[in-house]
Amino acid sequence: MSTLGETLDELEDRDFTGRTRELRILREWLCTFHELPQVLDVTGPAGIGKSALLRTFQRGALREGRPVLRVDARALGRSPLALLRALGGDDLDAVVRRLNELRPLLVFDSFDEAAGLANYCLESLVPCLDTDVRVVVAGRHPIAEIDPAAPWARLIRPLRLEGLSFQDSRTYLARRGATDSRVVQQVWGVTRGYPLGLSLAADAVVHLGVRDFSNASERRVIVRSLVETLMREVADPVVRELLDVFAVVREVDETSLAVLSGRADVGAAFDQVSRLSIVRPARHGLTLLEQVRVLLSDDLRWRRPDRHRELCRRASVLVRERIGSAAPSDREWLMAERLRLLDTAGFAATAHPDPEAEQVWLECGEETDHAAFSSLPISWRSGTGVEDAEVPGPEQREHLHAWMALDGQRLRIVRNETGSVVAGSLAVPLCRPTIATVLADPTLSPALRRYWSARQLTDLPRTAEGATDFYLLDLRYAAEATEAVAHVLWQDLLALFARGGVYFARTSGNDVGAASQLQAVGFRPLPVGERTDGVVARVHALDVTQIGLIAWQDLVLSPRRPPVPVTSTELVAELRLLLPQWQYDAVLARSSLAALADIAPDASEAEAAEAARRLTGAVLARARAANPESSLAYQALELAYLTRIGSHERVAERLAVSRSTLYRLLRRAEEGLSCALLSSLPLVLQGHPRPTSSPGSVR
């Protein structure tokens, strides 16, 4: 009959999940001969699973016939004698003889809580042990921090633990009896793979019958328990308060900590924060472990929602200011951080209603991802509409692979919970190594040559690293991609646009979704390409150098409309995009026509679209009355688009003209309407009589 201890060991072995890399390192360390003794130092914050990992490791060692001595350092106090007795003796020589004869795996758990014994153990005991005696210690802090200059410091081999991956978290929950996919997603959103949190959540499912963690009181209990566990090492109330900033902002330097906390002198506290086990150095300051940051943020949002929201607001303002003066290479991550802050607090127009509803993540695409990306349908939309997207054939995939082979290409992919590629974007930097390929594109080349001078094209950066201008080649979604996937992808693109350059994109002339999304972030259609059977490929440009980086950020992150085109040529290009989509409120509401109509800031999408239609109809009527010789052209435009009596063929029959003549009439009417809009707009809005000149005359 099994003992209770053996039964518990079997249960823990059954439930233990993940840590494959760490167990491999431990086993290799145990089985490899070392000329100098190595002390393996397993570190990580409370609840990260250090003790569970060591118990699993020592059970494996016992099964292989290796003796194991385990010492919980929390029970030793500060007396060296207590340490020696825990190892089976009363004096150092006797303990050393016993250990060298036994050749055990010697495990010290919670080693940093016996700080007074650490130096004694490392200076007096460990150097006397044979290399066959393996010593592993576990604690929140690396033992090398005790005395980095000590002779024993070079014997330390660090092994830092992080949270479990989503896959391992899901496996653990399934082994504990929590298999419902919705519950698993919710638990992941709460814990982000933090082992103690996963254990508490599994207990709630199995023992309390919890089936929904979205608003359950158990969710708050779990988060609060985890936070209190993590905060045990933080006694200073000032440091605890400052950790609120770290919970909101991913990377914090001393200056930003002072600004966001409202405290002038944070130097000493910043130094204390840097020594916490839950904090890591980062490129731009200090950062909490991501799983810990999510937990602290969730707890702060629940306990003090006003403070959480205010910190998000302050941090967003600070990041906005830093973006304006940062180097282009830093603007991208700063914009990504600002978007995340606004998303978290629900401030931004781009905010996703529930960013933690699904487990999706974005990665830099590798060469091994090229095939998966090129096989995705070509579509700028997710959800409804993707099923109608064009599935690339072999020739298109080969063409795309040529683009992906270019120097500095920026491939980003989005994976779902199973690790499958469900979306991606490909942007090509405009620089000397890539410009020849870009200019070989029959649609893009004329647009670039009109937008930039020959000198600008030759003065492009020598390398991709120095590029701020990009060609956004493709956005692709799998059929199963959801709005959360699109959200992640577009947040990344907005971060790219924050580099502050010029960005080009190409869409089909009839793609309503693509045009609407591009216009929403400041793109404008360029006048390029010839109409063929009513369809034309469109090239769009976002010129942040002209809009201004700060102004562009405000445009994207608030409900404001895109800037009004300032020339007739630009407005003609947009009209040619809008007219075939005249019935779509979403397109018109985001168009320059809606901005020209001077609608209220809080106008609905339908109201904005209707205002654009009314304005266009009024200006068209004035132009027709002022220019009778252009009446046929304006009638063609009205029948083909505004009242839409049918196909272009039917319109041509109604007017008794050929289709080629109809297209010439439409082009003339578009140009005339553009001039009329720009010339007559202020007077139309103010109700003044028409000027004596004849805007909208079509020659």
Side-chain angles (χ1 to χ4, degrees), residues 403-611:
W403 284 100
M404 288 189 287
L406 290 177
D407 181 41
Q409 55 81 5
R410 186 183 185 275
L411 177 63
R412 297 292 184 267
I413 60 170
V414 181
R415 297 186 186 276
N416 63 9
E417 61 185 48
T418 66
S420 301
V421 176
V422 291
S425 69
L426 177 62
V428 175
L430 299 178
C431 55
R432 295 187 192 181
T434 64
I435 193 61
T437 303
V438 173
L439 292 179
D441 185 288
T443 303
L444 190 61
S445 179
L448 261 64
R449 294 185 187 277
R450 291 186 190 184
Y451 200 86
W452 278 336
S453 66
R455 180 170 182 178
Q456 286 175 303
L457 287 170
T458 56
D459 285 347
L460 289 170
R462 294 180 179 274
T463 65
E465 288 73 20
T468 57
D469 308 321
F470 283 80
Y471 170 35
L472 181 55
L473 185 75
D474 259 337
L475 266 72
R476 294 171 176 244
Y477 297 93
E480 64 270 24
T482 61
E483 287 305 315
V485 173
H487 179 74
V488 169
L489 199 59
W490 273 97
Q491 295 290 76
D492 173 70
L493 289 174
L494 291 176
L496 170 65
F497 301 155
R499 282 175 170 253
V502 184
Y503 305 90
F504 299 92
R506 181 179 60 183
T507 67
S508 166
N510 292 331
D511 193 333
V512 179
S516 177
Q517 290 190 26
L518 289 172
Q519 290 176 27
V521 297
F523 277 83
R524 290 184 292 180
L526 299 180
V528 63
E530 293 297 325
R531 188 185 299 273
T532 303
D533 294 331
V535 179
V536 65
R538 292 291 181 184
V539 176
H540 310 255
L542 166 62
D543 194 336
V544 182
T545 64
Q546 288 189 4
I547 300 173
L549 186 55
I550 298 298
W552 173 79
Q553 287 186 69
D554 294 340
L555 161 70
V556 172
L557 301 178
S558 70
R560 289 171 49 191
R561 306 292 174 184
V564 178
V566 295
T567 69
S568 176
T569 301
E570 290 175 320
L571 189 52
V572 166
E574 186 169 7
L575 279 173
R576 288 175 180 164
L577 176 67
L578 291 173
L579 288 170
Q581 307 167 32
W582 199 247
Q583 72 272 32
Y584 295 108
D585 287 354
V587 176
L588 285 181
R590 278 288 184 178
S591 71
S592 297
L593 291 179
L596 288 168
D598 196 27
I599 60 173
D602 59 349
S604 68
E605 190 175 84
E607 290 169 339
E610 189 55 35

Side-chain angles (χ1 to χ4, degrees), residues 294-342:
V294 171
L295 288 168
L296 295 184
S297 178
D298 194 10
D299 184 59
L300 180 62
R301 188 189 292 112
W302 172 57
R303 289 186 300 106
R304 303 179 63 186
D306 291 342
R307 174 165 172 77
H308 181 271
R309 189 173 174 85
E310 176 60 18
L311 283 174
C312 286
R313 187 196 64 78
R314 287 186 200 172
S316 173
V317 172
L318 179 63
V319 173
R320 176 181 181 271
E321 294 171 354
R322 288 188 172 183
I323 289 175
S325 58
S329 58
D330 284 334
R331 291 175 191 159
E332 192 168 338
W333 78 266
L334 283 168
M335 184 63 171
E337 179 67 359
R338 188 179 183 210
L339 288 166
R340 187 192 62 78
L341 288 165
L342 295 174

Side-chain angles (χ1 to χ4, degrees), residues 9-21:
D9 284 345
E10 290 174 3
L11 287 173
E12 189 170 39
D13 271 337
R14 184 199 67 186
D15 294 339
F16 189 83
T17 306
R19 303 297 188 203
T20 304
R21 182 187 71 89

